[in-house]
Amino acid sequence: MDGIRIDLQSDTKTRPTAAMRRAMAEAEVGDEQYGEDPTITRLCARVCDLLGAEDAVFLPSGTMANEIAILVHCRPGDEIVADASAHIVHFEAGGPAALAGAMIRPIAGKRGIFTAADLAAAIRPESRYAPRTRLVEVEQTANLGGGTVWPLDQLRAVVATAHAHGLALHMDGARLMNAVVASGVPAAEYARGFDTVWLDFSKGLGCPVGAVLAGKRQHIAEAWRWKQRIGGALRQAGILGAACLYALDHHVERLAQDHANARMLADGIAALPGVAVEPVDTNIVFFDVAGTGKTGDAIARELARRGVRMGAMTATRMRAVTHLDVPAAAIPEVISALADVLRGRGS
Ligand SMILES: *Cc1c(COP(=O)(O)O)cnc(C)c1O
């Protein structure tokens, strides 16, 4: 967008670095659809190691990873239990209904995460009247919840409850590595007990394209059938896979910097009049501007004129996401631009 110097709209705004582009240019490639791309093969093996999974498949996007996983787990008329704020509820164009014929039963969790008791209450008793509860879906981190990290014991209790009811488990790990870096808990520990888990490479990890869906061998075999069916099977995808491998080597630990920047931003915003900042676990800062007398859209427009972009997720709830392309030095600029907007100063 013209004139935007600092783009906090999303961590998808990262652009591949010069070193990442070199790794892409030099990638060893083959025909991915035939299983002959050595770089994709290495990437999938690497993600299996990371997540403690049996098998994995490279996909063009995280949305495709969620939708394929739902197709693998659910039959028409089945129900998915997920937090009411989940990406599959709000941002996938109705895919669970349109593609898998599945319903979603939303749980009103706290900050995007729910408890084992919440889950138990949402599971349908066996009855010919009710949809069949089939799948439990969690987001690690919970995006609209505020970049919330699921505590490991709470996640384990949810997994145990799902297993006790014979339900499948799917993890939307768009920002799983943010949770890993923030908590120090290994990715495989978070993934334990889940049938399918995926990682997004095009968010904070800084790649242009790519997600890897991992899980049990039979689920990934079925996922491949869907990938083929909906046109997600690729050719010389190693160009993209090389970026993902580069990101695993160079862009994971640095997520801590994004988290520190998010906290710095939250502290600065909290000091402004009329603004209520939500807790910050990782790289996402939500704040409510109802007390300023302005709408989120109006504030976003005025910030954009000052070269700063962030999104209004509801009429008064704004979101700023830190990432690779937002250096620490940009944060004080963002805070002072917001302070100017709230004081009604001209740019
Ligand atoms: C971005 C996002 C997705 C979708 O990923 P894409 O790669 O953009 O399709 C899914 N879930 C969550 C929580 C996300 O933030």
Side-chain angles (χ1 to χ4, degrees):
M1 193 198 230
D2 280 349
I4 297 296
R5 288 173 295 111
I6 306 169
D7 197 340
L8 296 155
Q9 176 124 8
S10 174
D11 45 8
T12 57
K13 299 291 176 171
T14 53
R15 284 151 304 181
T17 62
M20 180 180 279
R21 286 170 187 257
R22 275 196 297 280
M24 295 173 76
E26 289 160 13
E28 235 192 304
V29 297
D31 192 329
E32 192 254 2
Q33 192 175 119
Y34 287 92
E36 291 171 3
D37 188 292
T39 306
I40 294 292
T41 302
R42 270 200 294 138
L43 173 64
C44 289
R46 179 93 179 259
V47 172
C48 283
D49 276 353
L50 183 69
L51 299 179
E54 288 176 6
D55 203 358
V57 56
F58 182 76
L59 295 169
S61 75
T63 300
M64 195 184 284
N66 273 340
E67 294 303 326
I68 284 181
I70 290 168
L71 284 160
V72 167
H73 295 301
C74 297
R75 296 295 161 266
D78 285 351
E79 197 163 62
I80 303 163
V81 180
D83 189 83
S85 69
H87 197 276
I88 58 169
V89 173
H90 297 285
F91 299 123
E92 301 190 7
L99 303 174
M103 302 176 54
I104 301 178
R105 188 159 205 203
I107 290 181
K110 283 204 181 69
R111 301 187 64 222
I113 70 177
F114 49 86
T115 64
D118 293 333
L119 171 59
I123 297 171
R124 309 275 189 178
E126 187 59 40
S127 153
R128 70 184 159 90
Y129 294 99
R132 181 177 284 130
T133 309
R134 179 76 72 179
L135 176 67
V136 180
E137 195 255 12
V138 307
E139 263 176 44
Q140 179 70 304
T141 65
N143 176 357
L144 288 191
T148 318
V149 177
W150 277 81
L152 189 58
D153 52 353
Q154 189 170 340
L155 195 61
R156 288 263 158 90
V158 162
V159 168
T161 300
H163 285 166
H165 288 83
L167 305 180
L169 285 142
H170 172 67
M171 180 181 284
D172 172 340
R175 296 185 183 81
L176 175 58
M177 299 317 290
N178 291 85
V180 167
V181 167
S183 65
V185 173
E189 291 302 313
Y190 284 133
R192 192 183 298 277
F194 280 78
D195 297 284
T196 44
V197 180
W198 62 274
L199 286 186
D200 212 336
F201 287 92
S202 67
K203 299 269 166 80
L205 294 178
C207 300
V209 175
V212 174
L213 176 68
K216 302 207 171 107
R217 208 173 299 287
Q218 78 269 21
H219 290 135
I220 299 306
E222 201 51 28
W224 251 110
R225 177 176 287 273
W226 280 108
K227 167 169 151 125
Q228 187 68 42
R229 184 173 288 157
I230 64 178
L234 304 170
R235 302 302 184 183
Q236 284 70 36
I239 299 268
L240 305 171
C244 301
L245 284 164
Y246 180 90
L248 288 175
D249 288 333
H250 301 282
H251 289 174
V252 174
E253 258 112 73
R254 65 150 307 286
L255 292 171
Q257 183 64 55
D258 298 341
H259 300 169
N261 291 347
R263 280 193 301 275
M264 193 200 315
L265 180 62
D267 289 346
I269 293 175
L272 301 177
V275 177
V277 181
E278 298 178 22
V280 174
D281 284 6
T282 51
N283 68 325
I284 301 180
V285 181
F286 272 102
F287 56 101
D288 196 279
V289 295
T292 67
K294 291 179 187 262
T295 65
D297 274 339
I299 291 173
R301 264 196 313 276
E302 291 185 49
L303 280 173
R305 285 200 313 192
R306 290 165 173 81
V308 175
R309 178 148 70 168
M310 53 179 84
M313 307 304 279
T314 70
T316 60
R317 189 177 183 230
M318 302 193 70
R319 187 183 78 162
V321 186
T322 56
H323 56 76
L324 184 61
D325 288 10
V326 178
I331 302 298
E333 267 192 75
V334 174
I335 296 163
S336 77
L338 185 59
D340 281 352
V341 167
L342 295 181
R343 275 194 298 263
R345 289 234 189 114
S347 52

